[in-house]
């Protein structure tokens, strides 16, 4: 039986500014994943704080909020077999210096602070994040 999952992917403001949204989507589609839902959003501060709630109180929390709200974000729900792991593999390591060439971060990101994409790290996280970013799907 296939392990079909849904996961949240964000093309962060730096990725949107680099005009690589189409490239990001095509990499997931070439892997056989399905673009279930998509929207461009200017992230409200309240949503950003809920999204990054596990980092509240940490020194970098305000920088995370400032960055994700600094410009439009392309939010997507990606679906497919083992989607969480597959998307994270395509995205590459969080630190672009450690991301392999051919991954999104390996090809397009320049710093850990502005690393082009976000993806849920587990099916449970994906469910929480999809509910935040796509409440209309609930």
């Amino acid at each position: 039986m296939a392990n079909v999952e849904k996961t949240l992917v964000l093309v962060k403001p730096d990725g949107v500014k680099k005009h690589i949204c189409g490239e990001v989507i095509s990499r997931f589609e070439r892997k056989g994943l399905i673009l279930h839902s998509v929207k461009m959003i200017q992230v409200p501060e309240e949503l950003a704080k809920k999204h990054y709630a596990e980092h509240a109180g940490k020194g970098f929390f305000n920088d995370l909020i400032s960055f994700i709200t600094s410009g439009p974000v392309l939010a997507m729900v990606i679906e497919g077999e083992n989607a969480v792991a597959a998307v994270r593999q395509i995205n590459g390591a969080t630190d672009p210096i450690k991301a392999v060439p051919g991954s999104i971060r390996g090809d397009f990101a320049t710093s850990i602070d502005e690393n082009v994409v976000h993806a849920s790290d587990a099916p449970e996280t994906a469910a929480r994040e999809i509910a935040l970013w796509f409440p209309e799907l609930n």
Side-chain angles (χ1 to χ4, degrees), residues 35-116:
L35 186 60
H36 178 277
S37 299
V38 62
K39 63 183 170 185
M40 187 71 76
I41 179 174
Q42 182 66 48
V43 183
E45 190 172 322
E46 180 181 330
L47 173 57
K49 287 180 177 178
K50 287 178 183 174
H51 178 76
Y52 288 120
E54 70 272 14
H55 300 301
K58 296 179 183 171
F60 58 88
F61 180 72
N62 289 337
D63 290 338
L64 283 175
I65 303 306
S66 293
F67 175 60
I68 202 72
T69 59
S70 69
V73 167
L74 183 69
M76 300 176 275
V77 177
I78 302 288
E79 182 176 14
E81 191 166 344
N82 300 308
V84 172
V87 164
R88 291 183 68 78
Q89 179 185 50
I90 293 164
N91 283 356
T94 303
D95 182 347
I97 301 301
K98 297 176 182 169
V100 297
S103 68
I104 292 168
R105 290 180 177 134
D107 290 351
F108 299 109
T110 55
S111 77
I112 198 164
D113 297 324
E114 296 189 9
N115 60 9
V116 180

Side-chain angles (χ1 to χ4, degrees), residues 114-136:
E114 296 189 9
N115 60 9
V116 180
V117 286
H118 163 83
S120 305
D121 62 4
E124 301 77 25
T125 310
R128 181 184 74 82
E129 291 179 348
I130 290 167
L132 281 174
W133 290 83
F134 289 87
E136 65 274 16

